[in-house]
Amino acid sequence: MDYPKSVPSVGLVNSRFVDENPVAGTPGSLIPAVWGNSVTEELLAVITAAGMTPSENVNDQLLAALKTLLNLASPMSSRVTEVSTSKALMPEELGLVLISASATETTITLPAASSLSGVRDVVVRRTDNSVNRLVVQASGNDRIKFHTHLSPNGYPFLVLMGAGDWWHLRSDGASNWWPVGRFDATPLGRIVLETTTAFSPGGYGALNGREFLRSEWPWLWDHAVQSGMLRAEVDRAGGWSSGDGIKTFRAPEVRGEFVRVLDEQRGVDTARAAGTWQTGTNITGDNGAAPAVQGIANIATVGADPTTFTGLCYYVSATMTENLGSTYWGMTRPRNIAYPGRLKLI
């Protein structure tokens, strides 16, 4: 776009339009139709690119269009969009997207991560704490590049778990959304202890041997397959199981168990595989003597009042206690605290 310099009869002065001067007897510049149409088309192109319909009766469309396009040009829009039902997000709705799945299971589909849309950012954040599944789905064959240590191509969707859970995603214009940040980046599959029976947001589930669908938790299934702890359902113990062998798999069951660090070639607890279960055993004490086994069935009667007892309970019979220096002794379950166990699911 430029002044119509190529038209000599237009009457430009110093390459600019001038007014008619009756006193001096000089005519004003002319505006040819081709130039007027060109200017109009340039302005209309801006308005239509912003998704607006040109109108003769609206005088601020160009300004509104520029605001919209400048907003879209920034990777992170300043827009806040609230969603309470399944929908496909439009490019102009990206920014902070607040999602409630309190009414039903919900799927939010991201816009295509194409060269046309360019580099775009979105923060998807869950606002409700219901048990309804909330899925953030990539469009078409696009992928979300998380847990690429398990699958280099990433996954077609992720789930938001718990009120306040959020992911910050950035498209690369080449069919991918890349995580920039998230609420909880604890590694997938990690076991943690909680001081609450509620589930913290960020992707946690109970450590209870739950059965999962492979199609709904593909990254967790990949983790199980590559964990070295995947077994048949009948032999899963504290490891992962292959479920029905087709559609399902099962997480470790650890409720009520004591956890022991895997030996890993140290030679203290030999011939153990990760996630295997071990029965309780009577073992030789540190003094080299074998423990007494008399009266084990009545062990609950041994020792002092448990509310005042401050040490371990040693015994040789159901009615006697021995001190630590005894030649023969056995040990009851030590005093302990039970905390809820949680498993990082995403």
Side-chain angles (χ1 to χ4, degrees):
M1 178 180 175
D2 198 358
Y3 286 93
K5 300 173 183 177
S6 61
V7 184
S9 60
V10 167
L12 299 179
V13 176
N14 295 326
S15 299
R16 298 177 68 86
F17 293 115
V18 295
D19 293 326
E20 178 184 8
N21 188 336
V23 176
T26 57
S29 303
L30 300 177
I31 298 179
V34 64
W35 187 87
N37 291 334
S38 174
V39 171
T40 303
E41 291 298 327
E42 289 268 7
L43 297 177
L44 290 178
V46 177
I47 294 172
T48 55
M52 302 167 62
T53 301
S55 173
E56 290 183 71
N57 302 318
V58 181
N59 297 325
D60 61 353
Q61 280 193 302
L62 181 60
L63 177 61
L66 288 172
K67 288 181 178 179
T68 298
L69 294 175
L70 288 172
N71 194 36
L72 292 175
S74 172
M76 175 56 78
S77 168
S78 59
R79 175 167 180 156
V80 177
T81 302
E82 296 189 27
V83 180
S84 59
T85 186
S86 295
K87 69 166 296 181
L89 293 175
M90 302 298 292
E92 59 269 20
E93 292 178 306
L94 297 183
L96 174 59
V97 182
L98 304 176
I99 312 165
S100 172
S102 59
T104 185
E105 292 190 351
T106 302
T107 298
I108 300 300
T109 303
L110 300 170
S114 64
S115 57
L116 181 63
S117 60
V119 176
R120 301 300 311 281
D121 278 27
V122 63
V123 174
V124 285
R125 182 183 179 109
R126 183 165 187 163
T127 60
D128 74 287
N129 212 29
S130 72
V131 298
N132 294 326
R133 183 175 171 88
L134 198 168
V135 174
V136 177
Q137 175 83 46
S139 176
N141 294 322
D142 289 357
R143 308 286 281 188
I144 305 176
K145 293 284 194 168
F146 69 102
H147 296 329
T148 52
H149 65 292
L150 299 172
S151 173
N153 291 326
Y155 297 91
F157 64 89
L158 57 82
V159 294
L160 294 175
M161 302 179 65
D165 190 15
W166 60 266
W167 287 62
H168 180 178
L169 304 173
R170 175 171 295 166
S171 67
D172 60 5
S175 301
N176 299 304
W177 289 90
W178 294 85
V180 176
R182 58 179 296 191
F183 175 77
D184 190 316
T186 300
L188 177 70
R190 179 165 291 180
I191 293 174
V192 298
L193 300 180
E194 284 281 11
T195 55
T196 172
T197 56
F199 291 103
S200 297
Y204 292 92
L207 196 57
N208 60 359
R210 170 185 166 184
E211 187 176 61
F212 293 88
L213 289 175
R214 301 182 189 185
S215 60
E216 291 186 350
W217 302 89
W219 53 86
L220 196 60
W221 169 240
D222 286 344
H223 172 79
V225 169
Q226 299 175 42
S227 69
M229 298 172 62
L230 183 65
R231 301 184 181 84
E233 178 73 10
V234 295
D235 188 39
R236 65 187 176 90
W240 300 87
S241 94
S242 53
D244 64 3
I246 302 173
K247 295 182 178 180
T248 68
F249 68 104
R250 195 182 296 276
E253 169 65 277
V254 190
R255 290 174 297 176
E257 303 285 359
F258 289 102
V259 176
R260 185 173 189 174
V261 177
L262 185 65
D263 186 279
E264 294 191 289
Q265 290 79 53
R266 184 186 179 193
V268 175
D269 184 30
T270 59
R272 293 289 301 280
T276 55
W277 187 75
Q278 186 181 61
T279 60
T281 53
N282 287 317
I283 61 174
T284 300
D286 288 342
N287 60 3
V293 296
Q294 301 97 318
I296 289 179
N298 297 316
I299 188 62
T301 66
V302 177
D305 182 349
T307 62
T308 60
F309 183 62
T310 59
L312 300 178
C313 180
Y314 306 99
Y315 63 95
V316 293
S317 73
T319 59
M320 296 178 60
T321 61
E322 292 282 312
N323 59 34
L324 184 60
S326 173
T327 303
Y328 299 102
W329 56 276
M331 187 174 70
T332 66
R333 179 174 55 243
R335 178 174 176 174
N336 61 84
I337 297 174
Y339 282 121
R342 299 291 180 255
L343 179 68
K344 194 67 161 60
L345 301 180
I346 182 171

